[in-house]
Amino acid sequence: MSQRYWKGVEELQNDPEFARLKNNEFYEHLPLDSMISKKAEDVSTTPRRDFLKFLGFSVAAASLAACETPVQKTIPYLIRPDQITPGIPNWYASTYFDGYDYCSVLVKTRDGRPIKIEGNTLSSVTRGGVSARVQASVLSLYDSGRLKSALASGKEAAWADVDKAITTKLAEIAAAGGKIRILSSTVISPTVSKAIADFAAKYPTTQHVQYYAFSASALHQAHNEGFGVNAVPSYDFSKADVIVGIDCDFLAHWVSPIEHARQYAETRKLDEGKKTMSRHIQYEAALSLTGSNADQRHGMKPSMSGAVAANLYNAVAAKAGATAVSAPSAGELSKAIEKTAEELWAAKGKSLVVCGTNDLATQHLVAGINSLLENYGTTVDLDNTNRMRQGNDTALATLLDELGKGEVAALFVYNANPVYTLPNGTAVGEMIRKAGLTVSFADRNDETAACCQYVCPDHHALESWSDAEPRSGAYSLGQPTISPLFQTRPVVESLLAWAGSTMAAHDYMKQVWASAILPKAGVSWEKALQEGVVELAKATPRSAKTSANLSAAASALPKAGSGIELTVYEKVGLGNGQQANNPWLQELPDPISKVTWDNYLAVSPKDAREKGWKQGNVVQVKAGNVTIKAPVVIQPGQTPGTVSIAAGYGRTAAGKTANGVGVNAYPLTSLSNGQISYAVAGVDVQKTADDDHALAATQTHHTMMGRAIVKETNLAEWTKDPKAGNEEELFPVFVGKEKSEQPASQVSLWNEFQDGHHHWGLAIDLNSCIGCGACVVACTSENNVSVVGKDEVMRSREMHWMRIDRYYSSDADPKEGEKGDNTAMEVPSDMPRVVFQPVMCQHCNHAPCETVCPVIATSHSTEGLNQMTYNRCVGTRYCANNCPYKVRRFNWFRYHDNPKFDYHMNDDLGKMVLNPDVTVRARGVMEKCSMCVQRIQAGKLEAKKAGVPVKDGDINTACAQSCPTNAIVFGDYNDKNSRINKFWDPKGRSYHLLEELNVQPNVFYLTKVRNSEEGKEA
């Protein structure tokens, strides 16, 4: 069967709206008739172009002449602060951890304000990678929704008064022997842990309970019971030849996603002569980021996770000569499980099975599979454990029971929002209100803080001294990169103050490190602070086998569900919703659905056909006693009989950006038998009479006229022929009457540009790109890309300089005549394969945009860059129309200082994040990727000052630097030893987009290679 590529359901079905967009870039209706009938005084309501047509250029010119730039007075430094040179950035090694996302980072500051976060390559955990949420956290620092001071009974209060009231109340509670509880997300800070211990020493009835919005408690408990290790193991995907995921999104959220993404990518790269790659098999209900990267993907209902694990255990046990367990039927998945077991057994000791289901019995069986495969000691490490998922659901349930009975005298909530994230959040809020003393350390008056008597806001991570131990023996330090913007206080100082100590957070942390960490590492405080990481020698991982009773575990597996089953999951952008008020994350397209500014109910195409659901239909979802309404998104890859919805939305007290966006899905989860479950069976989904919900999705925006520009093959074919999937296309050429066939690169009417000292370019490895979006947020942060909001995104006016195209590929669907009345017939496009492709300005040497600009606002540099001169641009948009890659963005409005776009550029605090090296573009101007020319210039100047040539790696673009998988490589084509030249192989996987146009881009791609049989596995 022939392969078909498509970007969304609209394109697959040739929806009329999509066809209109595809065939007419300037698709907006011009209301000429209504405009002409208007009087001159009414033209203020007409579009800009129509206004000029109506009044004529002379009136417009007169109007423009009357406008003057406002005068703004500035005051220079009288005494320049130490370490600050105006115009020169400073970099600080630091740590980001918000109880959810961890990363060792480098923070770029300009004139004392942090403006950019990048990864610290010295960390063996994150290794220079960053996620989209970590990148965006710099904007959260400047969130005007943050609290400006402490609150008492909802009103601003002096810290001295708050401390006095809390200390007095604690003394009374301690004297009466009342229960004191600290409820937090995972704490990986040695300093915070020590402060909590000191607080508990002062008040002995204190207990610390940790929980996680998307719990891994069962994984933790299974290894405690089966191996005596009270922690989550570390996993090393780079050592695995065969990887099996069971409902586990390990590239986006599970345990240590930045670390896992880097490890995973190492097994997928085919550079430096490598001829092998890992094999990835995924079992899941909803199409996840991880599942979309799998070589083979099997759909299953959420309640089947245990059955898949049990049957996979039995299949492996049969090969290992071990005793089988009683396993529920795996149904249609039985053959696939047998084949998976064969592949795992062939890679014994070099394989890995992971499961994201928060069910103890299932996790015991997965540990049993890894034991039989002898993976403990190789790909699973029990001696250098991961510390980022320490939540305990049983302890949480006990605390909630105590709260319900009124037994908790004092409750402190740190880095957590239980009223929002727990299944019965409303009831939890009522319980909190009844406690004797309640204190929240939230940075805003969020859903939980609003139920507390006192709010003692903690510093932002970039304002505070902090530390972390993400993996046992691997430490990182955080230092403040800006003075506190508001009257907030570190949680360490708050706990110490109430315990009777006046020690500052910096001094306390230094004391903790001097006594417990630095002596073991043999390094000084100054060196630790400069490098940001201190790592002890790793223990040698031991081999081990679980001692758990697996037969009993199999008997305790959840029963298979009936009817429609629902999964609550995390989106790559918002995650658990902690940074929901961050507009960069709200506007980041979801990698799978490409929807922004919303969550939705993802349904399978098969279910949509059978039930008559259309894109945007509003449905009512009833699970037990919980009922919500959500719009429908028809999602290829969603398993029939299942639906899914993202958490993190539906906030009510997060801030102006987040409040009222989407629907809260946490009430659909459940907490029973000491386990939080994110799946529910027997869900009733009914279409409502409500008007369709408008969705802002980007999957069909900036389409390249129906041309798929990804190239892919499979490992077997590529091993035989390095050009597999990337065959060179020849075109007829006539010289006189003689006809010959030549590659497009040999047919040109252009005069070639002469290179200068450098010729910059990018290489993008489609095998390594997982579609996570970190590069998109990095570009936004570096280049002051505007947030435009949902309404403008719906009009195809998003401003992102780079996008990640998500292509589906599948065998051609049966024709209508072949289907007959059998609607149950398998349709290949229902469960497609997925390819991600980052696309930015290709910086063409034969750039079509340059030839059509009437004012030469876009031109070619001597270093191979396609440049934009903003103050020359008059907004004709000819360049955008002539660009075959559709990577140019037009400023339809002034997006800064405009109340209609009330995001960070509309308030003075939010503007502090702007990069002064990059112009904030005006209305009517075209913009696009500049290949971070400001970073190129800065790198060249540094080399010039040092009197040395620019070395490969000294300069990097924001997208390439942030990529957790090293999928993007920046370099100089004129440097023959550069990495980009080593990647370029015209006889292998290297190719340019739309090569037939011969526009000669300076960006090239490496063909996607799957470790699967083409057309047979998804």
Side-chain angles (χ1 to χ4, degrees):
M1 283 189 175
S2 61
Q3 291 291 299
R4 181 177 184 182
Y5 292 87
W6 36 288
K7 294 180 75 175
V9 175
E10 297 88 344
E11 182 175 357
L12 179 70
Q13 299 173 348
N14 199 27
D15 181 88
E17 179 68 12
F18 171 79
R20 187 162 66 90
L21 289 173
K22 182 177 74 172
N23 297 321
N24 180 10
E25 183 198 1
F26 301 100
Y27 65 92
E28 291 188 79
H29 173 65
L30 296 178
L32 296 179
D33 294 337
S34 59
M35 181 200 69
I36 293 172
S37 65
K38 289 183 179 182
K39 297 179 180 179
E41 59 268 23
D42 294 331
V43 298
S44 60
T45 59
T46 63
R48 166 178 166 268
R49 293 175 182 275
D50 306 336
F51 176 82
L52 293 178
K53 290 175 185 176
F54 184 74
L55 293 183
F57 180 78
S58 59
V59 176
S63 301
L64 291 172
C67 299
E68 294 183 3
T69 303
V71 176
Q72 294 181 340
K73 296 181 180 180
T74 61
I75 301 175
Y77 288 126
L78 297 178
I79 300 175
R80 180 172 63 82
D82 291 341
Q83 301 181 336
I84 292 181
T85 301
I88 304 298
N90 289 334
W91 291 87
Y92 298 92
S94 194
T95 291
Y96 180 81
F97 184 68
D98 60 358
Y100 180 57
D101 292 307
Y102 165 80
C103 194
S104 177
V105 299
L106 300 177
V107 184
K108 179 182 180 180
T109 67
R110 280 290 298 269
D111 302 329
R113 53 191 178 85
I115 61 171
K116 182 74 169 60
I117 287 178
E118 299 191 351
N120 187 349
T121 56
L122 297 179
S123 169
S124 67
V125 179
T126 52
R127 297 167 62 189
V130 216
S131 70
R133 292 190 294 268
V134 172
Q135 283 278 356
S137 67
V138 68
L139 181 58
S140 295
L141 167 67
Y142 302 113
D143 186 352
S144 58
R146 292 177 58 198
L147 289 174
K148 310 302 187 288
S149 67
L151 300 182
S153 300
K155 298 179 180 179
E156 291 190 1
W159 279 102
D161 295 337
V162 169
D163 288 343
K164 181 179 179 181
I166 292 176
T167 304
T168 301
K169 188 67 175 176
L170 282 171
E172 295 172 358
I173 292 170
K179 294 180 179 179
I180 301 173
R181 300 291 182 263
I182 298 175
L183 177 62
S184 76
S185 59
T186 293
V187 174
I188 64 172
S189 165
T191 301
V192 173
S193 297
K194 180 67 166 57
I196 291 174
D198 288 351
F199 180 87
K202 174 73 173 179
Y203 305 105
T205 59
T206 299
Q207 288 184 13
H208 181 203
V209 177
Q210 300 179 69
Y211 91 101
Y212 188 69
F214 277 82
S215 178
S217 178
L219 177 65
H220 189 148
Q221 189 177 347
H223 284 87
N224 189 19
E225 294 179 2
F227 299 89
V229 176
N230 188 24
V232 171
S234 291
Y235 295 87
D236 193 343
F237 290 81
S238 68
K239 295 179 180 178
D241 292 339
V242 178
I243 300 165
V244 177
I246 303 173
D247 196 19
C248 186
D249 197 359
F250 58 81
L251 294 178
H253 309 290
W254 187 75
V255 181
S256 183
I258 297 175
E259 180 182 19
H260 296 162
R262 181 62 59 93
Q263 295 168 347
Y264 179 82
E266 288 177 13
T267 73
R268 311 293 286 178
K269 292 182 183 292
L270 292 170
D271 51 9
E272 299 180 355
K274 268 185 66 180
K275 294 292 184 181
T276 60
M277 60 186 288
S278 65
R279 168 91 162 141
H280 175 197
I281 303 167
Q282 189 82 359
Y283 294 84
E284 62 184 8
L287 180 59
S288 67
L289 185 73
T290 301
S292 65
N293 283 278
D295 297 305
Q296 186 175 20
R297 181 176 175 272
H298 301 286
M300 68 171 191
K301 288 193 171 185
S303 63
M304 288 292 291
S305 293
V308 169
N311 281 274
L312 185 57
Y313 175 85
N314 284 345
V316 173
K319 300 179 185 303
T323 304
V325 298
S326 177
S329 171
E332 297 177 352
L333 293 173
S334 298
K335 289 184 179 179
I337 291 171
E338 287 291 337
K339 187 176 179 182
T340 299
E342 292 174 7
E343 297 190 50
L344 285 169
W345 189 252
K348 186 170 67 169
K350 293 183 178 181
S351 57
L352 181 57
V353 181
V354 292
C355 178
T357 303
N358 191 39
D359 175 69
L360 180 59
T362 303
Q363 291 294 349
H364 273 310
L365 289 168
V366 172
I369 297 169
N370 282 316
S371 295
L372 293 175
L373 294 170
E374 300 177 4
N375 289 335
Y376 285 95
T378 56
T379 58
V380 188
D381 187 347
L382 294 170
D383 296 280
N384 304 281
T385 55
N386 188 289
R387 303 192 70 252
M388 287 186 275
R389 299 292 185 267
Q390 298 180 39
N392 187 323
D393 291 353
T394 302
L396 173 65
T398 300
L399 171 59
L400 294 178
D401 184 59
E402 291 176 336
L403 278 170
K405 293 177 180 178
E407 297 176 357
V408 177
L411 177 68
F412 296 83
V413 183
Y414 170 55
N415 254 350
N417 189 358
V419 174
Y420 171 65
T421 59
L422 288 182
N424 52 342
T426 303
V428 172
E430 293 302 317
M431 295 177 193
I432 291 174
R433 285 190 173 93
K434 294 176 182 177
L437 171 66
T438 52
V439 181
S440 170
F441 297 104
D443 70 338
R444 65 198 64 234
N445 202 23
D446 63 20
E447 291 85 350
T448 299
C451 298
C452 294
Q453 298 159 359
Y454 300 96
V455 185
C456 301
D458 191 11
H459 283 343
H460 187 275
L462 297 178
E463 296 174 323
S464 58
W465 291 97
S466 62
D467 57 1
E469 188 186 6
R471 187 182 65 223
S472 55
Y475 300 92
S476 63
L477 270 171
Q479 56 184 313
T481 56
I482 188 174
S483 296
L485 296 173
F486 310 116
Q487 294 178 30
T488 55
R489 186 172 70 180
V491 66
V492 168
E493 290 186 8
S494 292
L495 292 172
L496 292 177
W498 304 330
S501 172
T502 59
M503 187 174 289
H506 168 265
D507 299 334
Y508 188 79
M509 186 174 78
K510 195 172 180 179
Q511 184 183 86
V512 170
W513 275 63
S515 62
I517 299 171
L518 295 177
K520 291 188 288 186
V523 299
S524 67
W525 169 258
E526 289 73 19
K527 182 175 175 62
L529 197 59
Q530 181 183 27
E531 295 186 349
V533 295
V534 172
E535 299 189 354
L536 308 181
K538 292 181 70 173
T540 302
R542 68 183 187 275
S543 60
K545 293 187 182 297
T546 181
S547 61
N549 186 335
L550 300 184
S551 294
S555 300
L557 287 173
K559 304 299 180 185
S562 59
I564 295 177
E565 296 189 27
L566 178 142
T567 302
V568 178
Y569 68 98
E570 298 173 271
K571 269 196 179 186
V572 170
L574 289 197
N576 67 357
Q578 187 162 331
Q579 289 195 76
N581 206 48
N582 191 310
W584 286 352
L585 296 177
Q586 289 281 4
E587 195 141 302
L588 176 68
D590 179 74
I592 305 301
S593 68
K594 311 308 289 185
V595 172
T596 68
W597 291 100
D598 251 318
N599 63 344
Y600 41 81
L601 192 74
V603 305
S604 73
K606 181 176 183 292
D607 289 340
R609 288 193 299 268
E610 292 177 353
K611 299 181 183 299
W613 295 333
K614 302 294 183 184
Q615 196 92 337
N617 284 171
V618 176
V619 293
Q620 179 176 277
V621 182
K622 186 176 182 181
N625 296 323
V626 179
T627 300
I628 65 169
K629 287 184 178 182
V632 161
V633 164
I634 300 173
Q635 180 58 63
Q638 182 79 30
T639 303
T642 71
V643 295
S644 58
I645 187 169
Y649 292 81
R651 298 294 302 271
T652 58
K656 63 183 180 182
T657 297
N659 290 348
V661 175
V663 59
N664 184 8
Y666 281 113
L668 296 170
T669 63
S670 61
L671 173 58
S672 60
N673 301 320
Q675 291 181 168
I676 300 178
S677 175
Y678 303 93
V680 56
V683 175
D684 181 56
V685 182
Q686 297 293 333
K687 184 178 177 180
T688 69
D690 296 359
D691 292 339
D692 286 356
H693 182 86
L695 293 161
T698 65
Q699 73 263 28
T700 54
H701 294 182
H702 315 299
T703 180
M704 283 168 269
M705 306 304 122
R707 295 172 289 197
I709 52 177
V710 291
K711 293 187 177 183
E712 60 175 329
T713 186
N714 61 57
L715 184 61
E717 293 297 323
W718 178 79
T719 304
K720 296 176 190 174
D721 178 12
K723 286 287 285 183
N726 185 24
E727 293 78 10
E728 188 171 46
E729 196 171 353
L730 300 178
F731 299 89
V733 177
F734 292 88
V735 179
K737 294 183 178 181
E738 296 296 322
K739 176 185 177 183
S740 63
E741 291 192 334
Q742 300 286 340
S745 59
Q746 302 301 312
V747 184
S748 178
L749 298 175
W750 287 71
N751 294 322
E752 300 300 323
F753 285 101
Q754 296 299 313
D755 288 342
H757 292 295
H758 306 284
H759 186 171
W760 307 108
L762 288 173
I764 300 174
D765 184 0
L766 298 185
N767 258 33
S768 301
C769 177
I770 59 173
C772 67
C775 54
V776 177
V777 179
C779 175
T780 298
S781 176
E782 173 70 27
N783 295 296
N784 301 336
V785 175
S786 299
V787 174
V788 299
K790 178 177 178 178
D791 187 59
E792 291 299 295
V793 173
M794 289 169 57
R795 300 172 187 267
S796 303
R797 293 175 178 174
E798 65 271 17
M799 298 300 293
H800 292 137
W801 281 11
M802 68 179 298
R803 66 181 191 268
I804 300 180
D805 283 344
R806 180 267 294 118
Y807 287 97
Y808 296 123
S809 67
S810 61
D811 296 331
D813 291 343
K815 295 179 180 178
E816 289 298 326
E818 298 172 347
K819 290 183 181 179
D821 295 325
N822 185 10
T823 56
M825 178 182 247
E826 184 176 339
V827 179
S829 62
D830 285 357
M831 299 293 281
R833 293 169 291 277
V834 180
V835 186
F836 295 107
Q837 183 173 54
V839 181
M840 66 292 289
C841 174
Q842 303 293 292
H843 293 272
C844 309
N845 291 317
H846 295 174
C849 55
E850 295 171 12
T851 59
V852 295
C853 180
V855 292
I856 321 179
T858 180
S859 58
H860 209 76
S861 80
T862 57
E863 297 185 351
L865 301 182
N866 178 262
Q867 302 177 132
M868 273 301 303
T869 308
Y870 297 126
N871 62 355
R872 243 187 230 162
C873 180
V874 295
T876 63
R877 296 202 295 157
Y878 296 162
C879 55
N881 193 42
N882 225 37
C883 174
Y885 307 108
K886 302 305 169 195
V887 291
R888 289 176 163 266
R889 304 290 176 260
F890 184 69
N891 284 266
W892 291 89
F893 299 94
R894 184 183 68 184
Y895 296 117
H896 61 90
D897 299 298
N898 188 341
K900 292 183 179 179
F901 300 94
D902 194 15
Y903 308 110
H904 64 288
M905 287 191 188
N906 193 45
D907 68 67
D908 291 338
L909 184 63
K911 289 178 190 174
M912 290 178 70
V913 81
L914 297 178
N915 183 356
D917 292 332
V918 179
T919 301
V920 176
R921 280 74 66 185
R923 179 185 181 186
V925 168
M926 188 64 69
E927 61 182 73
K928 62 163 194 74
C929 163
S930 66
M931 211 174 279
C932 292
V933 65
Q934 70 280 2
R935 295 169 72 111
I936 293 174
Q937 292 301 106
K940 287 161 58 179
L941 287 172
E942 287 297 318
K944 184 178 180 180
K945 287 192 294 184
V948 296
V950 176
K951 293 186 296 185
D952 187 45
D954 284 351
I955 302 173
N956 212 355
T957 58
C959 57
Q961 196 287 326
S962 68
C963 181
T965 62
N966 282 336
I968 304 175
V969 174
F970 173 79
D972 184 358
Y973 287 112
N974 287 351
D975 180 355
K976 300 307 177 186
N977 296 315
S978 64
R979 286 189 302 155
I980 195 169
N981 273 319
K982 292 177 181 177
F983 271 96
W984 174 248
D985 180 12
K987 296 182 180 179
R989 294 167 59 212
S990 305
Y991 75 95
H992 292 119
L993 302 191
L994 303 179
E995 287 177 299
E996 64 271 22
L997 301 180
N998 194 28
V999 293
Q1000 297 191 7
N1002 284 317
V1003 180
F1004 69 87
Y1005 293 77
L1006 301 180
T1007 304
K1008 172 86 171 179
V1009 180
R1010 297 184 188 274
N1011 195 351
S1012 61
E1013 296 180 46
E1014 190 66 28
K1016 294 185 180 180
E1017 297 177 333

